[in-house]
């Protein structure tokens, strides 16, 4: 049976989460971004002693894709939670990541998969999580 793309992305996000560098918050996040051409980019959060340079998992994945010439995205899976958590709760993208997504996607069709694990997940459009967004269409 062909594995559902959602499950594949969640699995990859969980793998990416293992690479999280989060010594200050101990909140580990992983993301897996599916591009329209089928390529997948993963990312983790990367913290910094000066705090503000911290980059979220979602933006790490998006910036990796854009820097490789991929700017057309279909969906992203996100998993996150404390390092020592027995199970994960849903982790929603921060406002900065929602704004960065808005730059590149069709807000009505881009899917954000929030997952606890491969079997428990919820799917939202970016517009549902970030209504009245300001993006390229507004300039
Ligand atoms: N973080 C993410 O990477 N993505 C999210 O969706 C929420 C927050 C990171 C930033 C920081 O390293 C840690 O989680 C705690 O805020």
């Amino acid at each position: 049976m062909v594995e559902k793309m959602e499950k594949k992305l969640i699995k990859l996000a969980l793998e990416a989460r293992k690479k999280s560098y989060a010594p200050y918050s101990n909140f580990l996040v992983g993301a897996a971004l599916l591009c329209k051409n089928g390529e997948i980019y993963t990312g983790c959060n990367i913290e910094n002693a000066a705090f503000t340079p911290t980059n979220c998992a979602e933006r790490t994945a998006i910036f990796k894709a854009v820097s490789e010439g991929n700017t057309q995205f279909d969906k992203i899976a996100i998993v996150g939670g404390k390092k020592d958590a027995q199970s994960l709760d849903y982790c929603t993208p921060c406002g900065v990541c929602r704004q960065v997504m808005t730059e590149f996607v069709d807000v009505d069709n881009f899917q954000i998969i929030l997952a606890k694990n491969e079997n428990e997940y919820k799917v939202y459009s970016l517009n549902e999580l970030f209504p009245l967004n300001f993006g390229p269409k507004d300039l």
Side-chain angles (χ1 to χ4, degrees), residues 33-130:
L33 175 72
L34 175 67
C35 299
K36 285 202 188 288
N37 67 1
E39 286 188 42
I40 296 172
Y41 292 85
T42 60
C44 62
N45 55 330
I46 304 168
E47 297 188 345
N48 189 279
F51 292 176
T52 51
T54 292
N55 206 54
C56 290
E58 299 89 322
R59 273 176 291 140
T60 300
I62 292 168
F63 293 157
K64 280 169 71 178
V66 174
S67 69
E68 295 296 324
N70 280 294
T71 55
Q72 299 207 306
F73 309 142
D74 201 33
K75 49 186 86 177
I76 190 169
I78 305 165
V79 296
K82 280 284 189 185
K83 190 177 186 172
D84 52 7
Q86 295 300 303
S87 59
L88 299 180
D89 206 341
Y90 295 115
C91 173
T92 53
C94 80
V96 174
C97 288
R98 294 177 204 205
Q99 183 63 41
V100 169
M101 290 171 193
T102 300
E103 185 66 26
F104 297 105
V105 307
D106 170 353
V107 295
D108 291 313
N109 291 314
F110 183 67
Q111 293 186 325
I112 299 173
I113 303 159
L114 307 181
K116 293 185 178 182
N117 55 58
E118 279 170 51
N119 299 311
E120 285 180 281
Y121 62 89
K122 301 192 282 194
V123 184
Y124 297 91
S125 71
L126 177 56
N127 203 42
E128 283 180 284
L129 296 189
F130 202 44

